Amino acid sequence: MKRFLTFIFSITIAFSVTSCQKWKGEHTDIYTYTPPAANPVSDKQPLSCSGGSSVVPVKGTMLSGKTYNVSAGCDLVINPADTLFLQPGVTLNMGSRSSIIVLGTLVSNGSKNQPNYITAPGMIKNDVPGGVAASADSAYAGHWKGIIGGPNCNLMVLRWTHVEYAGYAEGSATSAIASSGANNQYSILFANYKGNFVMEDSWLYGGVDDPVRVSAGKIAIFRNTFEKNGVHGGDCLNVKGGTTGTMAYNLFIGTATNGQKASNKGQATGAPQTNVVMYNNTFISGGYRQVQSGRGG
């Protein structure tokens, strides 16, 4: 019996060593590893719509260090079976009234040393305290519509990503594609209670109303900075019925109303009740732009 156990022990050790050797050199750190580019997106020409349609289908990989430009009034659409992946160090310049509509998967995988920018070109920040009124501040101009997750968007990830100057009203054409509201002015919308929205180590600058609205979804929102969000109302992180997950270690500066909010309002059929854990968030100088009585932060 002793010989038999010794034999089994030897086989186990040998298998373990072989397994370790098999995995030697594999990429196991998902926070630093960038996979090879699949279907690189060309930066040679602007991403433009034509023929009377606002739709520009997009998928594949936006490459590190490249700058991509979206023409005015065009909607980048990631179709249900498609994925758009942004490597670290990508700049995506959004033209006026343009948008990103996510019906499939969006992953903006910036890094600490190479953050990504989804922004409006040529804008000038006015961040001196008391410098300009909200009506004259570029942060609240709503230059482009925002990142709009449709009801079937299964995954939206923003890591080390700057999202700036969004909040232009969706309009009927964009809302019809995304199955959302024409008057929405959210910088980021996620609306699938079966899907996942992840936002980590990112920055959201400016915005008109509820810069992040989660109508339903599984969320993980950690270590982000939300600055100058909302003109005269709106909450930075406003999650509704069917949202579950965590908001933690976020910084809110100069918000129109509250920094974060959760409710069961608008719960979709079949969706769970809202259950969101919030802790260790920091709020600075919020609530003073809210115009409705009793609604200050």
Side-chain angles (χ1 to χ4, degrees):
M1 183 67 178
K2 184 177 181 181
R3 290 180 180 177
F4 178 75
L5 292 176
T6 301
F7 173 75
I8 294 298
F9 181 73
S10 300
I11 291 296
T12 302
I13 293 297
F15 178 78
S16 299
V17 171
T18 302
S19 299
C20 290
Q21 289 176 343
K22 179 180 179 180
W23 286 98
K24 186 177 181 180
E26 291 285 339
H27 298 283
T28 57
D29 188 346
I30 63 173
Y31 289 98
T32 59
Y33 173 59
T34 299
N39 302 316
V41 178
S42 174
D43 64 327
K44 302 303 181 182
Q45 299 293 333
L47 298 166
S48 301
C49 43
S50 60
S53 172
S54 68
V55 175
V56 184
V58 63
K59 64 180 179 179
T61 304
M62 292 187 170
L63 303 177
S64 181
K66 300 287 187 179
T67 296
Y68 298 85
N69 296 289
V70 181
S71 297
C74 295
D75 299 306
L76 293 187
V77 177
I78 305 169
N79 286 314
D82 294 337
T83 296
L84 179 64
F85 185 92
L86 280 63
Q87 291 183 338
V90 166
T91 297
L92 181 56
N93 287 326
M94 305 299 297
S96 62
R97 310 181 314 282
S98 64
S99 71
I100 302 173
I101 299 175
V102 188
L103 306 179
T105 297
L106 170 65
V107 178
S108 177
N109 191 44
S111 67
K112 182 178 180 179
N113 295 326
Q114 290 183 289
N116 290 340
Y117 283 81
I118 304 176
T119 185
M123 306 298 281
I124 299 175
K125 291 185 177 181
N126 299 293
D127 290 341
V128 177
V132 295
S135 58
D137 195 326
S138 60
Y140 312 113
H143 182 79
W144 60 289
K145 296 172 187 175
I147 303 172
I148 307 165
N152 295 318
C153 172
N154 62 309
L155 179 64
M156 185 188 297
V157 178
L158 301 173
R159 298 187 57 252
W160 295 100
T161 298
H162 293 256
V163 179
E164 304 175 327
Y165 304 110
Y168 190 88
E170 284 186 39
S172 57
T174 301
S175 66
I177 299 170
S179 299
S180 51
N183 295 322
N184 288 348
Q185 291 184 272
Y186 311 135
S187 298
I188 300 171
L189 172 65
F190 193 84
N192 181 10
Y193 74 89
K194 296 179 181 179
N196 297 277
F197 172 58
V198 179
M199 186 173 182
E200 295 180 340
D201 302 296
S202 293
W203 301 261
L204 202 157
Y205 181 85
V208 177
D209 175 40
D210 281 0
V212 178
R213 168 66 71 91
V214 180
S215 296
K218 302 170 186 177
I219 63 171
I221 302 176
F222 294 97
R223 303 177 305 277
N224 304 288
T225 297
F226 299 90
E227 183 177 3
K228 300 177 80 168
N229 294 163
V231 184
H232 302 302
D235 303 288
C236 295
L237 297 174
N238 191 345
V239 305
K240 299 300 185 183
T243 303
T244 59
T246 304
M247 306 175 187
Y249 304 105
N250 300 292
L251 174 63
F252 301 88
I253 305 175
T255 60
T257 317
N258 309 295
Q260 57 189 24
K261 176 183 176 182
S263 80
N264 266 330
K265 184 178 180 181
Q267 183 174 337
T269 302
Q273 288 196 11
T274 298
N275 187 358
V276 178
V277 179
M278 309 175 188
Y279 60 89
N280 285 37
N281 297 289
T282 301
F283 307 86
I284 300 173
S285 190
Y288 65 91
R289 286 196 310 280
Q290 173 58 254
V291 295
Q292 294 184 54
S293 177
R295 293 289 296 275

